[in-house]
Amino acid sequence: MALGPALWLGALLLASLGGASAPASLLRRLGEHMRRFQESSVLGQSPGPGVAARPREGWLEQPLDPFNASDQRSFLQRYWISDQHWARRDGPVFLHLGGEGSLGPGSVMRGHPAALAPALGALVIGLEHRFYGLSIPAGGLNMAQLRFLSSRHALADVVSARLALSRLHNVSSSSRWVCFGGSYAGSLAAWARLKFPHLLFAAVASSAPVRAVLDFSAYNEVVSRSLTNTAIGGSPECRAAVSTAFAEVERRLRAGEEARTALRAELGACSSLGRAEDREELLGALQALVGGAVQYDGQAGAPLSVRQLCGLLLEGRRNGSRPVPYHGLRRAVQVVMHSLGQRCLSFSRAETLAQLRVTEPQVSGVGDRQWLYQTCTEFGFYVTCEDPTCPFSRLPALPSQLELCEQVFGLSTWSTVQAVAQTNSYYGGQTPVATQVLFVNGDMDPWHVLSVTQDLGPSVSALLIPNASHCLDMAPEQPSDTPSLRLGRQSILQQLQTWLKLAKKSLVRGGV
């Protein structure tokens, strides 16, 4: 594995999901920063033993509205292809689906598709999601255009790409196409197999939140539980310290202008805390920082692991002095801001709204406007702290997050409620009636509670990896990998080998 594991995190953090408020944007900023670092490092390597050959970039002309044959408008969708391990024309094709961000050459150089390709002689293709990265249709991101952005449109692109790429690259009609994806793209992989089993042979869906939900309070339930997990450096004392630190921040926010000014300086905040909405956003940003330590725990390159975060919050306990969790939280903010290369912690609601209302494509952006639109019109996924065991502030509450849909797109809360229900009705939520789908999750990942974690039948399998975080199974192998993670990766290979062997036998017998 030529690419250092620290460089992989960008691809994973880019799939951080969540809404597009300032708190949720914290991880997305980090993901974009590290993805750029990853891509420049990958492309700067010289081919040699163990180093993947440089993948090729391609473009497909796709219909803007695949559900209206009379609409002749189209756009160019980017893809990446690597035939380094493609042994024969009828070998399998691994299709790595992009999610809510740009997709670079790393999509065919690392992750499950590239790692499994040598053993199975596969052609590897990475397909960027419409309206993200460089696959944005002409006309920008106004509401008239965004109505062509949805998971259903993305699946239509997968079908069109599957047919076009077979012709372009002379793929045998007997080749088996397997979809891969992580996070939202993992859901797409599972749904592609669910809806188009005659075109897509199987799917590996990592950390795939297939159940849409408006109020995702369960996210912080997992975060709270994970902060007490001694196997990853947590403890009941750590969770209590988090709660104490947030209570101190809230106390200072309520204590008047002088206390808020001091808090702003101590946390390195970019703007004042005079507005109630900005105070909510600050609490949300701090919550995202702690949640991110859990969501990406143990992944090389992450700014904070649970062990490191707890160490900061409980600093001083070892030498007998009393730890001050608030000071540890301040240190944690500094660590993350340093990794981002940012001078200060941004949380202005007005600034967030201004950025989300920009309809011109942002080449260097991570698709915040587009992803917010998808959460408003399909998924919800708004992380809240409603449960009594939640260690954070109760703010920002669900209504303030839903207000973004109204303020940015003019979409009512009721329309989002209906959209979430329709998504689950269309795909089946956590009980999709599919075959040959493998769902892979880590039990520390807050998103696993929206995925499939138990077998649904003989050909819909679930793999739940103990103490593993979001999409950790997709990361390159490293010496610190746990035995359960290594076993999980072996199970993925074995499952694909089993399915492909059965298909080959069926073909020999004259089956489909």
Side-chain angles (χ1 to χ4, degrees):
M1 307 295 280
L3 175 61
L7 307 181
W8 180 249
L9 184 66
L12 301 183
L13 284 182
L14 197 55
S16 61
L17 296 169
S21 61
S25 292
L26 188 66
L27 287 179
R28 294 172 70 80
R29 298 284 83 73
L30 179 61
E32 174 69 2
H33 167 76
M34 297 195 71
R35 184 193 67 79
R36 289 176 176 276
F37 181 64
Q38 172 194 355
E39 299 294 0
S40 62
S41 300
V42 171
L43 298 178
Q45 294 177 5
S46 300
V51 178
R54 188 187 182 102
R56 302 190 303 277
E57 181 183 46
W59 298 86
L60 294 173
E61 185 174 0
Q62 296 275 35
L64 179 64
D65 186 354
F67 307 117
N68 181 3
S70 64
D71 190 336
Q72 298 300 305
R73 290 175 296 175
S74 63
F75 74 101
L76 293 178
Q77 184 173 30
R78 181 169 59 165
Y79 70 92
W80 299 92
I81 186 165
S82 172
D83 58 5
Q84 182 183 15
H85 303 291
W86 199 24
R88 41 195 288 176
R89 272 190 61 237
D90 63 351
V93 181
F94 290 170
L95 185 60
H96 190 173
L97 301 182
E100 70 282 18
S102 62
L103 196 70
S107 63
V108 295
M109 298 173 73
R110 290 297 178 267
H112 288 322
L116 299 170
L120 298 173
L123 176 68
V124 183
I125 300 172
L127 184 68
E128 190 168 68
H129 196 297
R130 62 164 54 205
F131 282 88
Y132 292 99
L134 297 183
S135 300
I136 299 179
L141 303 173
N142 56 50
M143 283 294 284
Q145 289 280 104
L146 288 178
R147 63 194 179 96
F148 301 112
L149 168 62
S150 73
S151 59
R152 300 186 197 193
H153 287 89
L155 292 178
D157 292 339
V158 171
V159 170
S160 179
R162 152 74 169 88
L163 298 173
L165 291 169
S166 291
R167 294 190 301 269
L168 281 171
H169 299 285
N170 198 27
V171 177
S172 170
S173 59
S174 61
S175 290
R176 306 293 175 167
W177 287 65
V178 181
C179 279
F180 294 83
S183 205
Y184 162 55
S187 298
L188 286 177
W191 294 335
R193 169 62 187 172
L194 169 69
K195 296 298 184 180
F196 306 104
H198 59 297
L199 295 173
L200 301 162
F201 171 74
V204 177
S206 296
S207 298
V210 289
R211 177 166 68 93
V213 62
L214 191 71
D215 185 343
F216 191 16
S217 60
Y219 181 101
N220 281 324
E221 292 174 19
V222 178
V223 170
S224 178
R225 184 169 67 248
S226 296
L227 288 171
T228 68
N229 186 344
T230 55
I232 57 170
S235 65
E237 293 79 11
C238 177
R239 186 199 171 284
V242 169
S243 185
T244 299
F246 272 80
E248 177 63 13
V249 172
E250 287 199 273
R251 185 191 70 78
R252 295 183 183 221
L253 287 173
R254 292 191 301 264
E257 187 59 35
E258 186 175 337
R260 288 196 290 266
T261 300
L263 181 67
R264 174 188 175 184
E266 290 170 356
L267 292 178
C270 297
S271 51
S272 73
L273 292 163
R275 295 176 179 270
E277 59 187 20
D278 291 341
R279 296 195 286 272
E280 282 193 27
E281 293 283 289
L282 170 64
L283 289 166
L286 295 174
Q287 181 183 135
L289 183 147
V290 176
V294 171
Q295 183 168 321
Y296 297 108
D297 180 75
Q299 302 191 18
L304 280 176
S305 65
V306 170
R307 190 176 304 278
Q308 290 166 328
L309 174 65
C310 291
L312 292 173
L313 291 166
L314 298 173
E315 194 169 8
R317 187 174 58 170
R318 279 185 230 166
N319 59 20
S321 60
R322 184 184 174 195
V324 183
Y326 167 70
H327 293 165
L329 185 61
R330 285 175 53 191
R331 289 279 308 282
V333 170
Q334 292 168 2
V335 169
V336 173
M337 289 301 99
H338 177 74
S339 70
L340 278 172
Q342 290 189 355
R343 293 181 299 103
C344 54
L345 179 63
S346 177
F347 52 82
S348 165
R349 179 77 166 196
E351 184 179 314
T352 296
L353 280 171
Q355 292 172 349
L356 289 170
R357 286 169 174 160
V358 173
T359 59
E360 291 300 314
Q362 307 297 303
V363 175
S364 62
V366 293
D368 279 343
R369 177 176 168 85
Q370 299 97 297
W371 182 242
L372 174 63
Y373 180 79
Q374 287 196 260
T375 67
C376 295
T377 56
E378 292 190 87
F379 306 123
F381 292 155
Y382 303 115
V383 175
T384 66
C385 195
E386 302 294 337
D387 188 89
T389 64
C390 182
F392 307 120
S393 165
R394 298 294 180 266
L395 302 173
L398 181 62
S400 69
Q401 299 189 57
L402 285 166
E403 279 174 10
L404 280 177
C405 298
E406 171 69 41
Q407 293 169 330
V408 177
F409 302 116
L411 298 171
S412 68
T413 292
W414 177 239
S415 72
T416 302
V417 170
Q418 288 183 306
V420 167
Q422 288 169 357
T423 296
N424 289 328
S425 175
Y426 184 70
Y427 293 119
Q430 287 173 294
T431 54
V433 185
T435 58
Q436 289 179 189
V437 179
L438 174 61
F439 289 93
V440 187
N441 286 279
D443 68 359
M444 260 191 57
D445 175 18
W447 293 93
H448 85 273
V449 296
L450 300 182
S451 189
V452 176
T453 56
Q454 294 183 334
D455 292 352
L456 297 180
S459 61
V460 177
S461 304
L463 182 61
L464 187 62
I465 303 174
N467 301 320
S469 55
H470 192 64
C471 295
L472 183 59
D473 54 293
M474 299 181 72
E477 294 180 9
Q478 52 183 326
S480 59
D481 288 342
T482 63
S484 59
L485 177 57
R486 294 178 188 275
L487 183 62
R489 292 199 183 106
Q490 290 173 11
S491 297
I492 295 168
L493 173 60
Q494 290 167 357
Q495 182 65 84
L496 283 177
Q497 286 175 325
T498 298
W499 283 338
L500 288 167
K501 284 178 182 176
L502 288 174
K504 192 172 183 180
K505 287 180 182 178
S506 176
L507 193 64
V508 169
R509 291 196 305 265
V512 178

